[in-house]
Amino acid sequence: MDNTLYDYSPIVSRPKLTWPDGARLAFYVGLNIEHYEIDKPSTSIFPGTAALAPDPLNYGWRDYALRVGIWRIIETLDRLKLPATVLLNSDCCRFHPQVIEAGRDRGWAWLAHGKNNSIFQAGMTVDEERAYLTEVVGTIAEATGQEVKGWLGPALTETFETPRLLRELGLTYLLDWCADDQPFPLNIPGMISVPYSIELNDVTMFLGKSLSGEQFYQMVVDQFDQLYADGEQTGRVMALCLHPFIISQPFRHKYLVKALEYIAGHEGVWFTTADDIASHYAGLL
């Protein structure tokens, strides 16, 4: 079975994409706020203990995110007056209500990111997945007081039915398909894809490639510079994808600050959320 979710469309053949106020680039911070079950292996810094239950080394490392790291990021975003696009595990509504309160106070955009990052939909039947997604979306909407419009799967995972089921629940866009520098329509009426990034992502950069903070900073700047230049011809999207237990370790965080300050110093950038990018693009179709 070939991919039937979306059609091939070379970017050089599309109409010019325009952003509000003539901006070249739409930029958003994708902030992953996640919960991990204590008795299951997951993203780990040391594989030697990852299969143990409990696994204090790796679980504690991940738990740093919402105890410390998120508050360091919030301080930076507040200072630079940058909005956050939050990829939220619905379990965080139960276990981390202080974070939800902080985000509500700041008007964050809330996307559904599964129940937690220990559960993937793979292997679910359609009925099982429908019930699962309904619970996730409903929990987030109730806790945040905001309609959920977008989805990012845990580890960017889906089934072949996920986009259709999400549309049934009223969602209008996905971030899982990192195939473009612009939003694009899916072959499900009312559903589009909005760019996310699997490479400009602190999990890939620091865990997958063991990059330094300086290298992270340079890659963010290089990504921005290229997309900013490309945006002179037609609008582009840049997503900066962050996990607070990784990027906001004390020895790394200053490189995030430096990168955000660099981007914030440019004119012609729409500092926005994935929700607003999706809404604007949908209005152009």
mmCIF file of all heavy atoms in Angstrom, residues 5 20 37 51 58-59 85 93 102 120 135 137 141 148 164 174 176 196 214 217 249 275-276 278 285:
data_model
loop_
_atom_site.group_PDB
_atom_site.id
_atom_site.type_symbol
_atom_site.label_atom_id
_atom_site.label_comp_id
_atom_site.label_asym_id
_atom_site.label_seq_id
_atom_site.Cartn_x
_atom_site.Cartn_y
_atom_site.Cartn_z
ATOM 1 N N LEU A 5 -2.442 9.225 2.160
ATOM 2 C CA LEU A 5 -2.868 10.290 3.075
ATOM 3 C C LEU A 5 -2.728 11.666 2.436
ATOM 4 O O LEU A 5 -3.520 12.571 2.701
ATOM 5 C CB LEU A 5 -2.055 10.233 4.368
ATOM 6 C CG LEU A 5 -2.404 11.262 5.433
ATOM 7 C CD1 LEU A 5 -3.849 11.095 5.915
ATOM 8 C CD2 LEU A 5 -1.442 11.174 6.620
ATOM 9 N N PRO A 20 0.722 36.619 7.763
ATOM 10 C CA PRO A 20 0.247 37.933 8.222
ATOM 11 C C PRO A 20 1.353 38.978 8.231
ATOM 12 O O PRO A 20 2.518 38.683 8.542
ATOM 13 C CB PRO A 20 -0.250 37.639 9.643
ATOM 14 C CG PRO A 20 -0.675 36.202 9.599
ATOM 15 C CD PRO A 20 0.319 35.531 8.693
ATOM 16 N N GLU A 37 5.116 6.440 32.145
ATOM 17 C CA GLU A 37 4.747 5.452 33.156
ATOM 18 C C GLU A 37 6.013 4.869 33.784
ATOM 19 O O GLU A 37 6.996 4.594 33.099
ATOM 20 C CB GLU A 37 3.896 4.354 32.527
ATOM 21 C CG GLU A 37 2.556 4.875 32.022
ATOM 22 C CD GLU A 37 1.670 3.783 31.457
ATOM 23 O OE1 GLU A 37 2.165 2.654 31.249
ATOM 24 O OE2 GLU A 37 0.478 4.052 31.224
ATOM 25 N N ALA A 51 15.370 -1.379 30.807
ATOM 26 C CA ALA A 51 14.371 -2.448 30.878
ATOM 27 C C ALA A 51 13.943 -2.769 32.308
ATOM 28 O O ALA A 51 13.075 -3.622 32.521
ATOM 29 C CB ALA A 51 14.910 -3.711 30.208
ATOM 30 N N ASN A 58 16.826 6.550 34.495
ATOM 31 C CA ASN A 58 16.197 7.152 33.324
ATOM 32 C C ASN A 58 14.873 7.844 33.650
ATOM 33 O O ASN A 58 14.564 8.898 33.094
ATOM 34 C CB ASN A 58 15.986 6.096 32.240
ATOM 35 C CG ASN A 58 17.298 5.643 31.633
ATOM 36 O OD1 ASN A 58 18.073 6.456 31.131
ATOM 37 N ND2 ASN A 58 17.567 4.350 31.690
ATOM 38 N N TYR A 59 14.086 7.258 34.569
ATOM 39 C CA TYR A 59 12.821 7.891 34.932
ATOM 40 C C TYR A 59 13.078 9.243 35.601
ATOM 41 O O TYR A 59 12.421 10.246 35.290
ATOM 42 C CB TYR A 59 12.002 6.992 35.860
ATOM 43 C CG TYR A 59 10.641 7.567 36.175
ATOM 44 C CD1 TYR A 59 9.552 7.280 35.367
ATOM 45 C CD2 TYR A 59 10.453 8.422 37.263
ATOM 46 C CE1 TYR A 59 8.299 7.829 35.635
ATOM 47 C CE2 TYR A 59 9.212 8.976 37.534
ATOM 48 C CZ TYR A 59 8.136 8.669 36.715
ATOM 49 O OH TYR A 59 6.911 9.222 36.976
ATOM 50 N N THR A 85 3.636 26.477 21.747
ATOM 51 C CA THR A 85 2.761 25.444 21.207
ATOM 52 C C THR A 85 3.072 24.181 21.995
ATOM 53 O O THR A 85 4.175 23.630 21.892
ATOM 54 C CB THR A 85 3.038 25.222 19.712
ATOM 55 O OG1 THR A 85 2.684 26.397 18.985
ATOM 56 C CG2 THR A 85 2.257 24.028 19.184
ATOM 57 N N CYS A 93 -2.422 16.397 32.744
ATOM 58 C CA CYS A 93 -3.525 17.149 33.339
ATOM 59 C C CYS A 93 -3.810 16.651 34.751
ATOM 60 O O CYS A 93 -4.219 17.429 35.620
ATOM 61 C CB CYS A 93 -4.776 17.025 32.475
ATOM 62 S SG CYS A 93 -4.563 17.624 30.786
ATOM 63 N N ALA A 102 -0.084 27.210 34.654
ATOM 64 C CA ALA A 102 0.866 28.192 34.118
ATOM 65 C C ALA A 102 0.609 28.448 32.638
ATOM 66 O O ALA A 102 0.683 29.589 32.159
ATOM 67 C CB ALA A 102 2.301 27.702 34.323
ATOM 68 N N PHE A 120 1.681 3.775 22.709
ATOM 69 C CA PHE A 120 1.517 4.084 21.293
ATOM 70 C C PHE A 120 0.243 3.392 20.803
ATOM 71 O O PHE A 120 -0.203 2.404 21.375
ATOM 72 C CB PHE A 120 2.715 3.602 20.469
ATOM 73 C CG PHE A 120 4.042 4.180 20.896
ATOM 74 C CD1 PHE A 120 5.214 3.509 20.620
ATOM 75 C CD2 PHE A 120 4.116 5.384 21.572
ATOM 76 C CE1 PHE A 120 6.442 4.026 21.001
ATOM 77 C CE2 PHE A 120 5.334 5.920 21.974
ATOM 78 C CZ PHE A 120 6.511 5.233 21.678
ATOM 79 N N GLU A 135 -10.869 9.933 24.711
ATOM 80 C CA GLU A 135 -10.496 10.219 26.099
ATOM 81 C C GLU A 135 -9.374 11.241 26.171
ATOM 82 O O GLU A 135 -9.418 12.182 26.976
ATOM 83 C CB GLU A 135 -10.075 8.932 26.804
ATOM 84 C CG GLU A 135 -9.650 9.160 28.251
ATOM 85 C CD GLU A 135 -9.118 7.909 28.927
ATOM 86 O OE1 GLU A 135 -9.053 6.849 28.278
ATOM 87 O OE2 GLU A 135 -8.752 8.001 30.119
ATOM 88 N N VAL A 137 -8.366 13.577 23.929
ATOM 89 C CA VAL A 137 -8.786 14.912 23.494
ATOM 90 C C VAL A 137 -9.734 15.536 24.512
ATOM 91 O O VAL A 137 -9.610 16.723 24.858
ATOM 92 C CB VAL A 137 -9.433 14.830 22.097
ATOM 93 C CG1 VAL A 137 -10.073 16.166 21.719
ATOM 94 C CG2 VAL A 137 -8.383 14.436 21.054
ATOM 95 N N ALA A 141 -9.049 19.061 26.619
ATOM 96 C CA ALA A 141 -9.979 20.180 26.436
ATOM 97 C C ALA A 141 -10.571 20.624 27.771
ATOM 98 O O ALA A 141 -10.680 21.829 28.055
ATOM 99 C CB ALA A 141 -11.086 19.786 25.459
ATOM 100 N N VAL A 148 -9.270 21.512 21.379
ATOM 101 C CA VAL A 148 -8.062 20.893 20.835
ATOM 102 C C VAL A 148 -8.197 20.811 19.323
ATOM 103 O O VAL A 148 -9.142 20.210 18.805
ATOM 104 C CB VAL A 148 -7.837 19.494 21.434
ATOM 105 C CG1 VAL A 148 -6.583 18.853 20.829
ATOM 106 C CG2 VAL A 148 -7.712 19.576 22.950
ATOM 107 N N ARG A 164 -8.174 10.142 10.245
ATOM 108 C CA ARG A 164 -9.625 10.146 10.068
ATOM 109 C C ARG A 164 -10.345 10.208 11.404
ATOM 110 O O ARG A 164 -11.327 10.955 11.568
ATOM 111 C CB ARG A 164 -10.052 8.907 9.281
ATOM 112 C CG ARG A 164 -11.566 8.796 9.084
ATOM 113 C CD ARG A 164 -11.934 7.552 8.284
ATOM 114 N NE ARG A 164 -11.591 6.318 8.981
ATOM 115 C CZ ARG A 164 -12.345 5.745 9.907
ATOM 116 N NH1 ARG A 164 -13.493 6.322 10.270
ATOM 117 N NH2 ARG A 164 -11.982 4.615 10.477
ATOM 118 N N LEU A 174 -2.405 17.842 11.814
ATOM 119 C CA LEU A 174 -1.421 16.926 12.394
ATOM 120 C C LEU A 174 -0.038 17.533 12.275
ATOM 121 O O LEU A 174 0.244 18.296 11.351
ATOM 122 C CB LEU A 174 -1.399 15.597 11.623
ATOM 123 C CG LEU A 174 -2.686 14.825 11.399
ATOM 124 C CD1 LEU A 174 -2.417 13.694 10.408
ATOM 125 C CD2 LEU A 174 -3.189 14.272 12.714
ATOM 126 N N ASP A 176 2.599 15.084 12.643
ATOM 127 C CA ASP A 176 3.409 13.866 12.584
ATOM 128 C C ASP A 176 4.216 13.696 11.300
ATOM 129 O O ASP A 176 5.244 13.023 11.300
ATOM 130 C CB ASP A 176 2.512 12.631 12.739
ATOM 131 C CG ASP A 176 1.902 12.521 14.126
ATOM 132 O OD1 ASP A 176 2.493 13.060 15.081
ATOM 133 O OD2 ASP A 176 0.831 11.903 14.248
ATOM 134 N N TYR A 196 6.521 20.057 11.542
ATOM 135 C CA TYR A 196 7.216 19.816 12.799
ATOM 136 C C TYR A 196 8.648 19.484 12.368
ATOM 137 O O TYR A 196 9.008 19.684 11.204
ATOM 138 C CB TYR A 196 6.526 18.655 13.538
ATOM 139 C CG TYR A 196 7.008 18.370 14.948
ATOM 140 C CD1 TYR A 196 6.778 19.262 15.981
ATOM 141 C CD2 TYR A 196 7.659 17.173 15.234
ATOM 142 C CE1 TYR A 196 7.190 18.978 17.283
ATOM 143 C CE2 TYR A 196 8.075 16.883 16.530
ATOM 144 C CZ TYR A 196 7.833 17.795 17.549
ATOM 145 O OH TYR A 196 8.247 17.501 18.824
ATOM 146 N N GLU A 214 26.888 24.183 21.724
ATOM 147 C CA GLU A 214 27.311 25.076 20.650
ATOM 148 C C GLU A 214 26.823 24.586 19.294
ATOM 149 O O GLU A 214 26.387 25.378 18.450
ATOM 150 C CB GLU A 214 28.833 25.199 20.630
ATOM 151 C CG GLU A 214 29.424 25.944 21.815
ATOM 152 C CD GLU A 214 29.859 24.988 22.917
ATOM 153 O OE1 GLU A 214 29.333 23.859 22.975
ATOM 154 O OE2 GLU A 214 30.723 25.393 23.714
ATOM 155 N N TYR A 217 23.095 25.294 18.956
ATOM 156 C CA TYR A 217 22.883 26.695 18.621
ATOM 157 C C TYR A 217 23.148 26.952 17.141
ATOM 158 O O TYR A 217 22.329 27.592 16.454
ATOM 159 C CB TYR A 217 23.782 27.598 19.477
ATOM 160 C CG TYR A 217 23.856 29.014 18.965
ATOM 161 C CD1 TYR A 217 22.803 29.904 19.172
ATOM 162 C CD2 TYR A 217 24.959 29.456 18.239
ATOM 163 C CE1 TYR A 217 22.852 31.203 18.685
ATOM 164 C CE2 TYR A 217 25.018 30.753 17.738
ATOM 165 C CZ TYR A 217 23.960 31.623 17.962
ATOM 166 O OH TYR A 217 24.002 32.898 17.463
ATOM 167 N N GLN A 249 18.506 21.191 30.703
ATOM 168 C CA GLN A 249 19.568 20.877 31.644
ATOM 169 C C GLN A 249 20.423 22.133 31.814
ATOM 170 O O GLN A 249 20.633 22.882 30.848
ATOM 171 C CB GLN A 249 20.418 19.714 31.134
ATOM 172 C CG GLN A 249 19.692 18.387 31.068
ATOM 173 C CD GLN A 249 19.377 17.797 32.435
ATOM 174 O OE1 GLN A 249 20.050 18.108 33.422
ATOM 175 N NE2 GLN A 249 18.342 16.965 32.504
ATOM 176 N N ASP A 275 -1.455 26.269 16.112
ATOM 177 C CA ASP A 275 -2.883 26.502 15.912
ATOM 178 C C ASP A 275 -3.120 27.632 14.923
ATOM 179 O O ASP A 275 -3.945 27.516 14.003
ATOM 180 C CB ASP A 275 -3.559 26.867 17.241
ATOM 181 C CG ASP A 275 -4.031 25.668 18.043
ATOM 182 O OD1 ASP A 275 -3.718 24.515 17.652
ATOM 183 O OD2 ASP A 275 -4.705 25.875 19.070
ATOM 184 N N ASP A 276 -2.413 28.730 15.112
ATOM 185 C CA ASP A 276 -2.638 29.895 14.255
ATOM 186 C C ASP A 276 -2.082 29.671 12.851
ATOM 187 O O ASP A 276 -2.627 30.186 11.869
ATOM 188 C CB ASP A 276 -2.025 31.145 14.888
ATOM 189 C CG ASP A 276 -2.845 31.660 16.065
ATOM 190 O OD1 ASP A 276 -4.017 31.248 16.195
ATOM 191 O OD2 ASP A 276 -2.311 32.450 16.857
ATOM 192 N N ALA A 278 -2.069 26.746 11.309
ATOM 193 C CA ALA A 278 -3.061 25.894 10.670
ATOM 194 C C ALA A 278 -4.296 26.695 10.272
ATOM 195 O O ALA A 278 -4.833 26.533 9.161
ATOM 196 C CB ALA A 278 -3.449 24.765 11.607
ATOM 197 N N LEU A 285 -7.062 28.081 1.601
ATOM 198 C CA LEU A 285 -7.423 26.976 0.698
ATOM 199 C C LEU A 285 -8.746 27.257 -0.016
ATOM 200 O O LEU A 285 -9.605 27.946 0.503
ATOM 201 C CB LEU A 285 -7.514 25.665 1.500
ATOM 202 C CG LEU A 285 -6.228 25.164 2.135
ATOM 203 C CD1 LEU A 285 -6.477 23.913 2.944
ATOM 204 C CD2 LEU A 285 -5.158 24.918 1.060
#
